[in-house]
Amino acid sequence: MLKYIYRVIILIAVFVAALSYFGRDIKQVVFDIDNTTVMEDATFPLVTIKTGDNRINLLHGYSSNLAANLLRESVTPLDFDKTFEVLISQENYDIKKLNYEVREFVGDALIETDSVSVFEESKEDKTAKIKIKAELASDKEYAIKITLITSESKKMFYYQRVKLNNNVHLAEKLDFVLEFHNAIMNKSTAEDVAKYLEPSEDADNSSLAYVNINSSIEQVSWGNLKPTILTEIIPSVKEIYEDSASVELNYIIEAEVSGVTERYRVTEFYRVKYATDRMYLMNYERRMESIFDINLASISKSELKLGITSEDEVPFVSAEDDTKIAFVRNRELWFYNLEGNEITRVFSFRQEKTDYLRELYDQHDIRILNMDAEGNLDFLVYGYMNRGQYEGRVAIILYHFIRAENRIEELVYIPIEEPYQILKENLSELSYVNAKDIFYFHIYNQIYSYNLITHELTVIAADINKSHVVVLKDLNYAAWQESSDPKLTKNINIMDLESGEVETISAKTGYNIRLMDMIDSNIIYGFVSEGDIASMIDGSVMAPLSEVEIASVDKKILKSYSKADYYISGLEVKDNIVELRRVQKVNENGRTAYTLAPKDYIMNQVKSEAPLISTTSRVTDQALTEYYLSLPKSFIMEKLPKMNYTVNTVISQDPTIRLPESTQNLLYYYPYVTGGIAGAYDNAADAIEIAKAGTGVVVNSRQQLVWERGVKATKSTISKFENMTWTSSSIDTVENCLALLLAYQDVAVPNKQLNTDDSSAYDVLKDYSKYTPIRLTGITLDDALYYVSKGRPVIAMTDIGNAVIIYGYDAFNIMVIDPSKSNVTKMGIQDSAQMFEDAGNIFLSYLEQ
């Protein structure tokens, strides 16, 4: 017995000693605020590409070793000799070696790898010549990863696309772009390029923030502003084809406005077309944003100047007493103490010694999570880290701002293995830190909680699409449905983010429940009968609601909507109105379908309160429309606020959270518009609509190219179909179309396997096609013909139960196989477009890769 007592005494002594030791260590980390530092300047080399005599595509270095096929910032066209040069601005490093990899975009398979250790050198730069030896398919894009290795063995990664085509006329296209750009910088030469514009009376010529091909030449040539360019202009080639190209110019300018020098970030986007006799300007857009400067504040009106901008909404939070405000501007976080008239730049990548290129690289953002009564803040920085200890990494970092000491402390560091453009689509609006030091966040369809004290990471909910989550920021609540599959959802969970308590709204017996949206800090959901959930012929699942409810977070039902024989397929909140998209059920040949019905509306009485801060606009002859941030009416700015800067706390504990490796089960479609992703969509049609409006392309989350604007040939025919034979039948035209499409792929499938009574046409293609099937429901006939131009036939529904195969087109007709007839048929484009639209624009095809 005595030896057990000794053991207990020894264990207690060890525990007390350990507690004393580690307690002393923790105390030093938390309270020794002299242990601070400032953010290091940007150091990574900048890289440009030279192909022929053209210097293009400014590349930024990553210290994150990303998959090469995830980045689509720019593309380099290659001649058949497959050579290009890498121009390295060394900056602080001595580059000793360059490795490169050539990879497939789909699947990321390695095609070639090699290295270069002999460089051509100038005073500041090194040049490496690369010749790709592997066979490359013409007009196909490949991913390139370039690794720079320094004399100290540090590695930095650069990413690029290449495309083999000997006849893209790159020099002529770039010459045209730069000549146009140079011409509009001067009134005396601007008229020379006015002929390329398409001025419209509907164009907004009241602002320089956004001009386009429809603006006046006066607007395009900068109005009365006289800008001076501060940075070198290096064209970035976004897309390149034999006859056309999309090119972007990014630069910083300065100009005098009312006698004061102001700086602006400018992006010009060109889509040009080459012809043997002339060049055509197919699209032109220019965006201009003032760089925020506290010294431009209007003292007389107690306003902060935002300047020329399209982003006139300013994300902000305030303390309860309304005397402290934090806001985000130009990817910088600011805190304004109104009582002391002091403003603090809490977080920024801007640095004193600037080249404007690296620290102002715009592939990151900031999100304010909350502010307490003292003005202390929690906030996220996510994306590419321009400088500092994480320079070149892609990450999500949670910081805490201690207002009394003007310092920030890193709480969480989450490394991310994808670029900002994809990260911003995967990170949902749900992110919050509560008073118990629990950090909630939602990424990759998982809702996590992380205890900042115990460092425990917990998955609260799995497989939750961000479109099935709503965040009630005013109340610090979040709600989500328990599954992204409407066939499985029986509950909606409502969480109080402060207490962590969860309430549940459950479906009625025989029904499922769907979370739809929110309005005025209340949630909108609806009930769908299990018997009404139907799989459509295109593989989509229709789950129409028979009843919609609006409820508060304490589950009190505020409004309810239902109408006999009508179902709600979707809804949209517009101000204080809920617009209901309605359908009616029909049955044809044993298959349930839904036809469109007139919309209906739910009116909601919103208690509108004037915001604490708001934006106002003023117009001058020189800068046209400029915006200002109006501060609370009770505040009077007697002089410019005192400017403060933060320091970073040096921490000894590793703040890293490594997220569990997740399998992305859901397929998303990304429209790339002017070089960036403009959203993530479940349906290809939604992404195609965005890309079509923005002269872009669509890529899915498997990096497969889905659709391209403006590259469809004027006519195209898949000749193999004209020699095919089939048995004409007015029964099962869908199955006959499936058989013909699979036969075109040289896939033979027994007829009984093509039956769609208990399946869908999409599922059949998913099971038997050599390639990835794609549901294109919702696009127009003209957009669907892109697939035919690429040699891929399209199955199109002509009504609820019948289909044809489109295999060709010209300027006036489409060529189809109608299985109910014994020969190929021509149909007028306009008449057939209307017929397909009346049938719901239901199209199916496939992706070749």
Side-chain angles (χ1 to χ4, degrees):
M1 175 65 71
L2 193 60
K3 69 177 182 179
Y4 291 114
I5 294 173
Y6 286 148
R7 284 182 183 177
V8 171
I9 293 172
I10 291 169
L11 287 173
I12 292 172
V14 169
F15 174 74
V16 171
L19 189 64
S20 173
Y21 175 83
F22 288 111
R24 183 174 65 251
D25 186 53
I26 292 171
K27 183 177 180 181
Q28 181 182 1
V29 171
V30 174
F31 296 106
D32 182 6
I33 62 170
D34 292 331
N35 196 18
T36 60
T37 185
V38 295
M39 188 185 296
E40 301 91 338
D41 284 354
T43 63
F44 277 25
L46 293 171
V47 164
T48 52
I49 304 297
K50 188 176 181 182
T51 174
D53 295 326
N54 305 293
R55 183 167 169 242
I56 57 174
N57 299 347
L58 179 66
L59 307 181
H60 292 260
Y62 286 76
S63 50
S64 299
N65 189 2
L66 308 180
N69 63 345
L70 294 179
L71 287 93
R72 290 186 57 87
E73 285 195 16
S74 56
V75 60
T76 296
L78 301 180
D79 293 336
F80 288 147
D81 64 359
K82 296 177 288 188
T83 62
F84 62 95
E85 296 180 16
V86 179
L87 282 62
I88 307 162
S89 177
Q90 291 195 99
E91 305 295 340
N92 299 50
Y93 294 99
D94 180 18
I95 305 301
K96 290 297 185 182
K97 189 177 180 181
L98 179 151
N99 295 338
Y100 73 88
E101 297 174 358
V102 183
R103 292 182 174 271
E104 292 277 3
F105 249 99
V106 179
D108 201 36
L110 181 64
I111 297 172
E112 178 178 316
T113 182
D114 207 341
S115 62
V116 176
S117 54
V118 178
F119 300 88
E120 292 182 2
E121 297 192 40
S122 62
K123 185 177 180 181
E124 296 179 350
D125 299 340
K126 285 187 175 181
T127 300
K129 292 186 176 180
I130 294 176
K131 180 176 177 62
I132 298 173
K133 295 172 281 296
E135 289 295 322
L136 302 181
S138 183
D139 280 330
K140 179 180 176 181
E141 290 186 347
Y142 296 88
I144 297 280
K145 176 160 68 176
I146 297 167
T147 305
L148 300 185
I149 304 173
T150 72
S151 56
E152 298 177 348
S153 299
K154 182 179 179 66
K155 292 182 179 180
M156 292 163 285
F157 306 97
Y158 298 78
Y159 301 90
Q160 175 76 163
R161 292 177 287 148
V162 295
K163 186 189 235 184
L164 183 66
N165 191 312
N166 204 41
N167 199 29
V168 296
H169 308 285
L170 179 64
E172 292 91 336
K173 293 168 183 172
L174 292 180
D175 285 347
F176 175 80
V177 166
L178 293 174
E179 286 170 8
F180 186 97
H181 163 80
N182 290 331
I184 61 176
M185 298 302 293
N186 191 311
K187 293 292 184 187
S188 62
T189 55
E191 287 299 330
D192 297 339
V193 296
K195 61 186 177 183
Y196 296 108
L197 299 178
E198 301 169 10
S200 168
E201 292 181 358
D202 297 327
D204 180 8
N205 288 310
S206 65
S207 174
L208 291 171
Y210 176 74
V211 301
N212 60 26
I213 197 170
N214 301 127
S215 302
S216 67
I217 186 61
E218 173 66 16
Q219 204 77 353
V220 172
S221 59
W222 303 92
N224 293 323
L225 211 62
K226 294 180 173 59
T228 300
I229 297 175
L230 300 179
T231 53
E232 183 182 6
I233 293 179
I234 301 170
S236 180
V237 181
K238 299 302 182 184
E239 307 294 338
I240 187 78
Y241 307 98
E242 196 161 295
D243 64 340
S244 65
S246 296
V247 180
E248 189 174 274
L249 307 180
N250 288 285
Y251 51 95
I252 304 294
I253 65 170
E254 66 179 14
E256 278 199 8
V257 177
S258 303
V260 179
T261 300
E262 301 188 28
R263 290 187 173 89
Y264 308 86
R265 180 197 294 272
V266 181
T267 301
E268 289 184 82
F269 177 78
Y270 295 80
R271 187 169 181 86
V272 298
K273 185 174 181 180
Y274 170 86
T276 54
D277 56 340
R278 61 164 290 185
M279 295 292 298
Y280 295 87
L281 183 62
M282 309 302 292
N283 189 32
Y284 174 74
E285 297 179 54
R286 186 178 72 219
R287 289 174 170 82
M288 178 179 180
E289 287 289 326
S290 293
I291 295 175
F292 182 71
D293 185 348
I294 194 65
N295 294 308
L296 301 176
S298 171
I299 298 174
S300 62
K301 293 183 179 292
S302 298
E303 294 176 339
L304 302 179
K305 186 173 184 179
L306 304 178
I308 297 173
T309 180
S310 299
E311 300 173 359
D312 57 337
E313 291 188 5
V314 178
F316 77 96
V317 299
S318 61
E320 289 183 4
D321 63 1
D322 294 343
T323 64
K324 306 170 193 70
I325 298 168
F327 61 92
V328 176
R329 193 66 189 164
N330 301 145
R331 296 174 170 83
E332 296 177 322
L333 175 58
W334 298 82
F335 170 80
Y336 200 163
N337 174 22
L338 299 177
E339 284 183 324
N341 195 27
E342 289 185 285
I343 195 162
T344 302
R345 195 170 73 185
V346 177
F347 189 94
S348 173
F349 284 128
R350 244 196 284 187
Q351 61 189 43
E352 283 189 32
K353 186 180 178 182
T354 179
D355 59 8
Y356 298 105
L357 298 176
R358 288 175 298 169
E359 78 271 19
L360 292 185
Y361 186 46
D362 62 354
Q363 295 301 296
H364 69 277
D365 210 345
I366 296 175
R367 182 185 298 175
I368 308 171
L369 305 190
N370 43 339
M371 177 192 286
D372 67 17
E374 300 302 318
N376 302 312
L377 294 167
D378 293 308
F379 64 96
L380 291 182
V381 180
Y382 59 99
Y384 178 91
M385 301 298 152
N386 298 24
R387 64 186 184 101
Q389 70 177 111
Y390 297 123
E391 181 179 4
R393 296 195 180 276
V394 182
I396 302 169
I397 305 178
L398 172 65
Y399 285 104
H400 183 64
F401 167 60
I402 299 92
R403 175 238 170 166
E405 299 159 8
N406 274 339
R407 65 182 176 94
I408 61 174
E409 183 176 329
E410 180 185 337
L411 301 179
V412 169
Y413 169 77
I414 306 174
I416 299 294
E417 299 301 321
E418 64 186 14
Y420 166 72
Q421 289 295 325
I422 299 177
L423 168 61
K424 70 183 176 67
E425 302 303 331
N426 284 322
L427 181 66
S428 88
E429 287 296 312
L430 173 51
S431 47
Y432 186 77
V433 177
N434 67 18
K436 298 178 181 178
D437 287 326
I438 305 296
F439 172 36
Y440 296 103
F441 60 102
H442 180 208
I443 189 171
Y444 305 129
N445 301 319
Q446 311 278 88
I447 300 177
Y448 293 97
S449 71
Y450 180 71
N451 190 309
L452 295 169
I453 299 172
T454 65
H455 310 295
E456 182 181 2
L457 180 68
T458 304
V459 177
I460 294 176
D463 298 323
I464 308 297
N465 189 316
K466 70 175 186 177
S467 62
H468 298 140
V469 177
V470 298
V471 182
L472 311 170
K473 294 181 180 180
D474 292 346
L475 304 177
N476 298 329
Y477 272 78
W480 64 89
Q481 64 183 49
E482 65 181 3
S483 172
S484 294
D485 187 345
K487 297 177 182 178
L488 303 177
T489 302
K490 295 293 183 181
N491 298 297
I492 289 173
N493 295 314
I494 306 172
M495 173 179 270
D496 181 340
L497 297 173
E498 267 303 322
S499 68
E501 295 178 357
V502 177
E503 294 285 345
T504 300
I505 299 177
S506 298
K508 307 168 186 177
T509 303
Y511 285 80
N512 287 2
I513 191 168
R514 293 176 61 194
L515 179 62
M516 303 301 291
D517 209 329
M518 57 171 283
I519 187 169
D520 192 26
S521 297
N522 300 304
I523 63 170
I524 308 172
Y525 57 89
F527 299 101
V528 52
S529 170
E530 293 173 352
D532 290 332
I533 301 175
S535 293
M536 301 292 99
I537 194 69
D538 64 352
S540 61
V541 175
M542 190 71 166
L545 308 174
S546 56
E547 184 178 3
V548 170
E549 292 181 348
I550 300 175
S552 60
V553 293
D554 58 3
K555 303 195 293 185
K556 180 182 178 182
I557 298 173
L558 306 176
K559 287 198 175 181
S560 181
Y561 174 95
S562 64
K563 291 268 179 88
D565 300 325
Y566 286 94
Y567 300 85
I568 294 91
S569 60
L571 58 83
E572 184 177 359
V573 176
K574 299 179 177 179
D575 296 325
N576 66 330
I577 298 174
V578 182
E579 181 182 274
L580 305 173
R581 298 190 294 274
R582 301 193 304 172
V583 294
Q584 290 184 293
K585 186 192 294 188
V586 296
N587 189 294
E588 187 162 315
N589 298 326
R591 179 178 286 274
T592 298
Y594 292 89
T595 59
L596 293 177
K599 295 177 181 177
D600 207 348
Y601 303 89
I602 300 175
M603 301 296 294
N604 187 63
Q605 293 182 349
V606 179
K607 299 176 182 178
S608 58
E609 296 181 2
L612 182 66
I613 62 175
S614 59
T615 54
T616 59
S617 63
R618 298 203 281 275
V619 178
T620 63
D621 290 337
Q622 196 169 14
L624 298 182
T625 303
E626 295 181 294
Y627 285 89
Y628 290 79
L629 188 64
S630 296
L631 299 170
K633 293 181 180 179
S634 59
F635 172 69
I636 298 175
M637 186 187 296
E638 296 179 348
K639 60 181 180 179
L640 284 176
K642 178 185 175 183
M643 182 75 173
N644 297 317
Y645 301 92
T646 55
V647 292
N648 290 27
T649 308
V650 177
I651 57 175
S652 60
Q653 276 192 327
D654 183 5
T656 304
I657 300 177
R658 300 199 180 275
L659 298 179
E661 191 170 335
S662 61
T663 302
Q664 184 65 274
N665 296 320
L666 300 174
L667 186 64
Y668 293 107
Y669 297 91
Y670 303 125
Y672 279 82
V673 178
T674 63
I677 293 179
Y681 297 89
D682 300 327
N683 297 312
D686 295 331
I688 289 172
E689 183 179 357
I690 299 297
K692 184 178 179 180
T695 319
V697 303
V698 176
V699 175
N700 68 18
S701 49
R702 295 174 188 157
Q703 307 311 312
Q704 294 171 296
L705 184 61
V706 173
W707 189 86
E708 302 164 281
R709 165 76 187 268
V711 301
K712 177 171 67 70
T714 54
K715 61 179 180 178
S716 181
T717 302
I718 305 172
S719 57
K720 186 175 179 178
F721 278 95
E722 298 191 331
N723 300 317
M724 281 188 175
T725 58
W726 66 92
T727 303
S728 62
S729 171
S730 59
I731 303 174
D732 296 330
T733 58
V734 174
E735 294 172 19
N736 283 333
C737 285
L738 289 168
L740 287 167
L741 186 146
L742 292 170
Y744 173 68
Q745 298 179 5
D746 297 321
V747 176
V749 180
N751 288 341
K752 64 179 181 179
Q753 304 297 331
L754 301 175
N755 188 286
T756 58
D757 289 345
D758 299 317
S759 182
S760 70
Y762 178 85
D763 292 327
V764 171
L765 291 178
K766 193 174 180 181
D767 289 339
Y768 297 106
S769 173
K770 285 183 177 180
Y771 308 106
T772 305
I774 184 167
R775 180 189 308 114
L776 297 166
T777 298
I779 69 173
T780 65
L781 170 62
D782 185 61
D783 296 335
L785 293 179
Y786 163 83
Y787 282 80
V788 179
S789 76
K790 294 295 181 180
R792 288 169 250 159
V794 174
I795 296 176
M797 299 300 295
T798 57
D799 56 36
I800 290 175
N802 292 291
V804 296
I805 277 193
I806 306 171
Y807 71 89
Y809 65 90
D810 57 27
F812 306 103
N813 301 289
I814 61 171
M815 279 67 89
V816 305
I817 292 178
D818 183 344
S820 66
K821 300 177 182 178
S822 58
N823 60 324
V824 298
T825 305
K826 276 189 177 182
M827 301 174 65
I829 279 189
Q830 292 186 353
D831 291 340
S832 56
Q834 187 61 55
M835 176 183 67
F836 295 135
E837 184 179 340
D838 292 342
N841 275 337
I842 300 173
F843 302 105
L844 289 170
S845 189
Y846 56 90
L847 308 174
E848 280 197 340
Q849 295 176 308

